[in-house]
Amino acid sequence: MSESDLADLPATRAPQPGFRQPRHALWTAGGLLLATLAIASGYLYLTLALPTPAVADPLGPQIFPMLVSGGLFLCGAMMGLELWRSRIAIRRTALPAAPSETSFDLRSALMVAGITGWTALYFFVFERVGFVVSTIVFLFGLMSVFNARHPVVNAACATGFAFGAWLLFVKVLSVRLPSGILPF
Amino acid sequence: MQVETVTEGRGLRRRQCELATIAVCASIATCGAGGAVAQTGFPKRPLRLIISVPPGGAADFTGRVLGVKLAEFIGQNVVIENRPSAGGIIASEFVVKSSADGHILLLSSSTTHGVAPVLYRKLNYDAIKDFTHIAMVAVLPGMMAIHSDIPAKTVKEFIALARAKPGGFLFASSGNGSAPQLMGEQFKIVTGAPMTHVPYKGSGPAVQDLAGGRVQVMFDGLPSLIGQIKGGRLRPLAALADKRFSVFPDVPTMVEAGFAGIEGGVWYGVSGPSGIPRAVVDRLTREIHRVIAQPDVQERFGSVGGIALPLGPKEYVAFIEKENRKWAEVIRVSGAVPD
Amino acid sequence: MEAFGHLMHGFAVALQPVNLAYVFVGCLLGTVIGVLPGIGPAAAIALLLPITYGIEPTSALIMLAGIYYGAMYGGSTTSILINTPGESSSVMTALDGYQMARNGRAGAALAISAIASFIAGTVSVVLLSLLAVPLAGVALKFGPAEYFTLMLFAMTAIAALTGPSLSKGLLSMFLGLMFATIGIDLQSGQQRYTFDLPELQDGIGFIVVVVGLFAIAEVFCGLEDHLKGKSEIIRISGRLWLTRDEWRRSVMPIVRGTGIGFFKGVLPGAGATIATILSYSVERMVSREPQRFGTGMIEGVAGPEAANNASTGGAMVPLLTLGIPGSGSTAVLLAAFIMYGLQPGPLLFEKRPDLVWGLIASMYLGNVVLLVLNLPLVGVFVRLLYIPIGLLLPMVISISAIGIFAVNGNLFELYLALGFGVIGYGFRKLAIPVAPLVLSLVLGGMMEQAFRQAMTISGADVGVFVRSPICVVLLAASVIALSIPLVVPLFKRSALIAAARPAQ
């Protein structure tokens, strides 16, 4: 039986069956398990806190959410099971280490945090400063990081896109975009 | 390479300077222009009419008809903005926080000001005090329609049948807190007929199940029901208004059918944030009433079962307060919605 | 054959130069605005409605029909090229379409999307002309119990998308269901998990989730790869057009997709999205290689695209015959009808046949126009992929922002989309499939409400779900669909073991 056939089997074994799980993948899986349990508990707590209305349908608003939180706990249990099996597998097999797809990379995390923060700022000033200005600044900022050696192209692109989009959507299609500090 | 970069950098800086200068000059120009026009009176720029439902709803239709004509009379464009949310809360909050110069207006309705203030107790605004209520525009009375398989030709026969059936009849509504639900609850309270409420997401699915016979009765405006009535699947029993519908002259009003106190429907008016100058309010009220007196506007309202109702600021406020009291009572007695 | 005569008359109306112009303009505008992530046919019609004021009613409605179709086409383009579904009905296209693009077959994906849409759209308009009146009553046979079983069947599609790790697939699904419960509960009026935010009272908009999980997460991943130097520039391999094999494999999915799409469209209620889910599910059920779905199977693009467009024709049936809108887009069309003083319903066909058949005829024309517009554009769109990543991806964020903001003008939704973007990025890093979350979000809420409505109507009698023949059929189909992924591997395993034995 080849590896692809193994993949066809009902997937109750750990992912990447042909490889031993690297150590940090265990930590990631463990973290995910904890996160799942946290979400499930939080959701259950909020569900139980829902008041039961006086007049409602036979089932009421709580039943379905309780089923869902039950499902979330079930996922947690399944993850726990998979985690346990992986740990056993690590000790038993002498297979090579898996290519680290789920490796934690500080640089990537910082980058994502940075983009998120910058985009949140963009949204924050979107209405105040207006579409055109905020878009130009936003785009230029990102492009300067990811297309670093071409500031002119970046500026031209950012400005061109902002004005082009404004022309197309506000003027031609009369879609409402905030004008902010600009007079149009 | 280095020379190139330096030139690019300088060119970029220059371009940025140009852009900045243009922006600054433009802003100064606008302020100056604004100041000058302020002397000549209202309106100085296009009006914005905020509508609390997505495009296509009856409120949207009414607002647009109003807006187009108002723009003609008032000399400035009226731009429609849809800011939908449950109970129109987002639209209302936006208008409450806007500057009170009369340029930003809300299409207030039975949803936003009739029902929402009593349905949602934790609103961030006061429906009467935080607004300047300018004018009432139109009323869309409700109608009671039943599935045509039910052998009742009058309201009284219907109630008798409901009492005879174990569990009573089912009435559909377009959602929790919606006008159809409240009118149905009102009917229940006044007539004592046993009915169970089945909410749907919007009028469309509700009418669909009504026409399919899964629910038996619905209280809604003409536009949603008229297609099926004319097609024969539904039968109109009564109009929830003080006058009969012109499209259905044979259908009695609730009062004629023997029950007073069952009146309802959807209504629309125009409101702004509190503190709009008196002169501006008067001008707006006058123009809005002029608009709804136009025959073509009345005809367009009529096509959706609406009747123009020109009330002024004080009368509108009184109307709203009356509606609040009425629906608060219905909600309290029926225990319809918890909050 | 009275219908045929009417249709010819309708063509006479539609082929007038002014109406032809309106069809063209409508298609063009619709495509342009449909390309925006987050703007689908409903939003496109709503946004462009003001442009049609002042135009004569028949022409205005013809233009709106053009916009409707155009927006459907536009949404597919971004799904395939940048994994950014324009609207909920393009999500299934993105699943395999984007993978096809990554495999270098972007041109083929775009082409089959246009062609499948054209064929399905045309056929569905034919079916509409012939079957509109007879099918009028079908929509009325579907009540909450039937809808519940239909959604249940659609949910089984999720079993197809869980991927190798069952627990992660289920996690994704339950998270989707969890998000679906946020908002005001329809049956009781009770606010659930809204934390007193008015923006959450209507629940989390599906578009916001789709844009966040697909477009924005894609940007994060793309920029991360770019920073690491792992930039994969998607090159076009082979011909831009379809190979013979791809053609052959697409025929039956298109046929099936058209049928599924049209008949689902006839049923009011989220027609297009569910039609695509059903089509994808069916394609996977009948395929010989179900496990390869999600890696770039052309059947997974042809079927849903056909279903998508067929459902627009189907959705016109309840709209024109009953005056009941089948989906968000038809609801706005209904409003447009009313605004022009027309009342869709049983009498519209009798009183205004010129309008109805003119509209139907221009839907035909709309399909042709879009094919003519889009096929040559395939080459142009594909060139867009060559824009440097550092320029393209930031613009994608901005386009997404425009798309979301244009609809409701609500800043909160932008932040929500960003949040889902982070979640989507996390999912990708943790190998959690995104599709189950998206599907559960769409279907979960409707399923819960339909179930409870059915219970209210039947008076807490669970038997209502097996009473009507429609329900029984759908329940049986759900059971079959669920057991296929579990049963087939068992068969294959025993076959493989049997094959391996003689070798030993």
Side-chain angles (χ1 to χ4, degrees):
Chain A
M1 281 163 69
S2 68
E3 261 160 31
S4 58
D5 295 327
L6 277 175
D8 283 354
L9 294 176
T12 49
R13 55 180 69 214
Q16 299 182 327
F19 297 101
R20 162 171 59 97
Q21 292 309 304
R23 197 126 296 217
H24 57 251
L26 273 187
W27 282 108
T28 316
L32 183 62
L33 171 62
L34 285 177
T36 307
L37 291 176
I39 294 175
S41 319
Y43 188 63
L44 184 62
Y45 172 72
L46 287 173
T47 306
L48 291 173
L50 287 177
T52 327
V55 175
D57 60 301
L59 283 178
Q62 274 186 333
I63 303 235
F64 186 72
M66 295 199 52
L67 286 176
V68 173
S69 62
L72 285 170
F73 278 114
L74 173 70
C75 290
M78 287 174 74
M79 273 184 229
L81 196 64
E82 276 179 23
L83 200 61
W84 186 248
R85 282 208 195 154
S86 308
R87 294 192 66 195
I88 297 179
I90 281 187
R91 287 191 199 133
R92 282 205 195 140
T93 61
L95 292 172
S100 52
E101 270 176 16
T102 54
S103 55
F104 181 69
D105 188 347
L106 186 64
R107 203 160 155 240
S108 294
L110 282 178
M111 181 208 77
V112 170
I115 302 180
T116 310
W118 184 242
T119 311
L121 191 62
Y122 174 40
F123 293 158
F124 189 65
V125 300
F126 196 67
E127 272 193 328
R128 264 164 262 243
V129 176
F131 167 73
V132 178
V133 175
S134 58
T135 306
I136 293 179
V137 173
F138 169 73
L139 286 179
F140 188 69
L142 278 185
M143 289 174 179
S144 306
V145 173
F146 294 100
N147 198 33
R149 281 183 293 272
H150 314 275
V152 178
V153 174
N154 293 346
C157 236
T159 322
F161 175 83
F163 275 102
W166 179 82
L167 260 176
L168 179 62
F169 293 109
V170 177
K171 280 286 160 194
V172 175
L173 297 173
S174 55
V175 167
R176 191 177 66 89
L177 288 172
S179 39
I181 61 179
L182 292 178
F184 41 81
Chain B
M1 241 353 242
Q2 218 167 5
V3 175
E4 221 179 88
T5 330
V6 167
T7 331
E8 276 181 322
R10 231 187 274 139
L12 176 65
R13 251 179 276 132
R14 205 185 321 133
R15 195 163 303 152
Q16 288 174 332
C17 276
E18 285 171 6
L19 210 63
T21 319
I22 294 175
V24 169
C25 290
S27 324
I28 296 177
T30 324
C31 294
V37 176
Q39 310 305 326
T40 56
F42 174 85
K44 338 177 225 166
R45 51 178 189 281
L47 302 183
R48 290 160 70 182
L49 183 62
I50 318 289
I51 303 192
S52 59
V53 300
D60 180 69
F61 172 72
T62 310
R64 287 181 197 271
V65 171
L66 177 71
V68 164
K69 247 331 193 280
L70 186 63
E72 281 176 33
F73 292 160
I74 212 160
Q76 280 279 359
N77 255 344
V78 175
V79 180
I80 306 287
E81 278 181 29
N82 297 84
R83 292 186 182 236
S85 70
I89 294 180
I90 292 188
S92 303
E93 275 183 358
F94 175 75
V95 172
V96 163
K97 290 189 198 137
S98 321
S99 59
D101 54 7
H103 289 91
I104 299 188
L105 302 170
L106 173 74
L107 188 79
S108 42
S109 63
S110 48
T111 320
T112 62
H113 282 77
V115 173
V118 291
L119 200 61
Y120 302 98
R121 263 160 239 153
K122 294 182 221 160
L123 287 183
N124 289 341
Y125 51 86
D126 182 302
I128 305 284
K129 295 203 203 94
D130 288 332
F131 288 90
T132 314
H133 292 292
I134 298 173
M136 180 137 172
V137 172
V139 155
L140 250 90
M143 157 176 295
M144 175 179 178
I146 62 172
H147 188 74
S148 46
D149 282 352
I150 299 177
K153 297 251 170 22
T154 68
V155 180
K156 290 207 167 114
E157 284 178 23
F158 177 79
I159 297 173
L161 282 174
R163 292 219 171 97
K165 180 170 190 275
F169 280 140
L170 298 165
F171 76 96
S173 81
S174 50
N176 242 286
S178 64
Q181 180 194 10
L182 293 176
M183 288 192 273
E185 298 290 350
Q186 201 181 31
F187 183 83
K188 253 175 91 171
I189 294 172
V190 170
T191 65
M195 296 199 303
T196 310
H197 169 228
V198 186
Y200 290 83
K201 202 150 193 211
S203 271
V207 174
Q208 183 191 344
D209 259 17
L210 180 64
R214 271 168 295 274
V215 293
Q216 284 79 42
V217 61
M218 186 169 178
F219 302 80
D220 202 355
L222 268 191
S224 12
L225 297 170
I226 193 167
Q228 292 305 318
I229 294 179
K230 294 234 156 128
R233 288 203 178 93
L234 298 181
R235 183 183 312 132
L237 281 191
L240 275 69
D242 49 3
K243 270 200 298 267
R244 296 189 175 196
F245 284 114
S246 50
V247 245
F248 294 112
D250 298 330
V251 176
T253 67
M254 270 297 178
V255 175
E256 289 170 356
F259 299 97
I262 308 178
E263 240 184 52
V266 186
W267 43 263
Y268 303 106
V270 178
S271 314
S274 67
I276 301 184
R278 190 58 192 278
V280 177
V281 176
D282 285 343
R283 171 102 196 270
L284 279 171
T285 311
R286 240 183 313 130
E287 300 297 351
I288 291 174
H289 286 172
R290 242 178 94 197
V291 168
I292 62 181
Q294 303 295 307
D296 55 337
V297 171
Q298 292 198 343
E299 196 206 312
R300 299 201 85 185
F301 283 169
S303 70
V304 292
I307 305 167
L309 188 61
L311 294 183
K314 290 213 186 72
E315 299 156 302
Y316 190 27
V317 172
F319 181 86
I320 293 178
E321 287 176 335
K322 193 176 111 200
E323 286 278 300
N324 287 354
R325 281 194 296 272
K326 174 168 79 169
W327 296 123
E329 186 61 22
V330 170
I331 291 174
R332 188 189 65 81
V333 173
S334 67
V337 184
D339 202 10
Chain C
M1 284 315 280
E2 195 188 300
F4 192 69
H6 282 304
L7 190 58
M8 287 299 113
H9 184 69
F11 268 112
V13 172
L15 283 172
Q16 291 167 15
V18 64
N19 286 341
L20 268 181
Y22 279 124
V23 168
F24 189 80
V25 170
C27 288
L28 192 61
L29 288 179
T31 311
V32 168
I33 211 168
V35 164
L36 281 183
I39 303 224
I45 298 178
L47 285 171
L48 296 175
L49 198 58
I51 296 187
T52 64
Y53 293 161
I55 307 177
E56 195 258 316
T58 315
S59 306
L61 288 168
I62 286 176
M63 182 157 144
L64 285 174
I67 294 175
Y68 188 17
Y69 270 110
M72 288 225 145
Y73 272 76
S76 321
T77 309
T78 50
S79 295
I80 292 169
L81 290 180
I82 48 178
N83 202 20
T84 305
E87 157 9 80
S88 39
S89 49
S90 318
V91 171
M92 303 313 285
T93 311
L95 290 180
D96 273 90
Y98 182 61
Q99 294 305 316
M100 278 182 75
R102 288 182 84 107
N103 295 340
R105 303 300 302 144
L110 288 172
I112 197 64
S113 163
I115 293 170
S117 301
F118 171 72
I119 296 177
T122 310
V123 172
S124 81
V125 176
V126 171
L127 290 176
L128 170 66
S129 349
L130 297 173
L131 298 176
V133 178
L135 279 183
V138 169
L140 296 182
K141 292 214 166 39
F142 261 74
E146 287 79 8
Y147 272 112
F148 172 73
T149 46
L150 180 66
M151 306 275 154
L152 197 62
F153 179 53
M155 279 283 265
T156 60
I158 292 180
L161 299 165
T162 48
S165 167
L166 189 61
S167 67
K168 287 183 180 170
L170 285 181
L171 174 66
S172 180
M173 181 181 94
F174 282 113
L175 282 178
L177 291 177
M178 184 182 93
F179 285 124
T181 57
I182 298 180
I184 294 186
D185 173 40
L186 178 66
Q187 297 298 311
S188 64
Q190 175 65 50
Q191 297 208 22
R192 300 196 291 193
Y193 322 107
T194 58
F195 304 109
D196 283 341
L197 289 170
E199 289 90 349
L200 285 180
Q201 279 179 355
D202 268 333
I204 295 189
F206 182 74
I207 292 297
V208 168
V209 173
V210 163
V211 172
L213 285 178
F214 285 87
I216 300 187
E218 194 62 33
V219 169
F220 284 150
C221 288
L223 288 176
E224 182 191 6
D225 283 346
H226 183 67
L227 211 61
K228 283 188 183 161
K230 267 202 284 177
S231 235
E232 311 168 11
I233 303 178
I234 305 168
R235 298 228 173 277
I236 311 299
S237 78
R239 300 161 60 206
L240 209 66
W241 195 244
L242 298 156
T243 65
R244 182 153 296 186
D245 182 55
E246 287 168 339
W247 266 117
R248 190 185 45 84
R249 283 163 59 191
S250 309
V251 171
M252 282 316 288
I254 293 180
V255 170
R256 286 188 286 260
T258 307
I260 294 174
F262 182 76
F263 288 105
K264 177 60 196 70
V266 169
L267 302 173
T273 312
I274 297 187
T276 56
I277 297 175
L278 289 174
S279 167
Y280 192 83
S281 185
V282 165
E283 287 313 313
R284 197 176 179 278
M285 266 165 64
V286 305
S287 160
R288 288 207 192 108
E289 305 169 289
Q291 72 283 1
R292 281 187 53 206
F293 271 77
T295 61
M297 297 283 279
I298 199 167
E299 292 87 338
V301 178
E305 278 298 306
N308 201 344
N309 277 70
S311 73
T312 57
M316 288 296 190
V317 172
L319 177 66
L320 294 174
T321 58
L322 296 173
I324 294 178
S327 57
S329 1
T330 34
V332 188
L333 276 178
L334 177 67
F337 269 103
I338 294 182
M339 225 162 52
Y340 291 112
L342 306 157
Q343 180 61 49
L347 298 179
L348 191 68
F349 269 82
E350 293 166 23
K351 286 210 182 140
R352 293 291 305 266
D354 56 323
L355 179 89
V356 174
W357 293 103
L359 189 61
I360 294 177
S362 46
M363 283 166 71
Y364 261 133
L365 291 176
N367 270 298
V368 176
V369 168
L370 281 165
L371 192 69
V372 165
L373 263 183
N374 276 287
L375 280 184
L377 288 181
V378 163
V380 173
F381 283 136
V382 155
R383 292 283 176 272
L384 284 179
L385 290 177
Y386 285 97
I387 297 179
I389 297 269
L391 293 178
L392 181 64
L393 293 184
M395 291 199 281
V396 169
I397 298 187
S398 205
I399 290 183
S400 309
I402 299 177
I404 297 178
F405 189 79
V407 182
N408 280 342
N410 199 341
L411 271 183
F412 182 78
E413 291 185 346
L414 288 176
Y415 290 118
L416 208 54
L418 184 60
F420 273 101
V422 176
I423 293 178
Y425 173 76
F427 271 33
R428 268 166 237 233
K429 281 288 149 187
L430 295 169
I432 303 178
V434 166
L437 190 152
V438 160
L439 292 186
S440 320
L441 190 64
V442 173
L443 298 171
M446 288 194 268
M447 264 179 67
E448 186 200 359
Q449 301 299 345
F451 189 82
R452 289 161 67 188
Q453 270 171 347
M455 293 292 270
T456 307
I457 291 178
S458 69
D461 172 18
V462 190
V464 72
F465 294 107
V466 291
R467 208 159 287 152
S468 82
I470 301 178
C471 284
V472 172
V473 167
L474 286 169
L475 278 174
S478 310
V479 171
I480 295 176
L482 271 177
S483 39
I484 284 188
L486 295 173
V487 163
V488 167
L490 284 175
F491 274 123
K492 283 180 77 174
R493 188 178 184 176
S494 46
L496 281 160
I497 291 176
R501 220 171 276 141
Q504 285 168 354

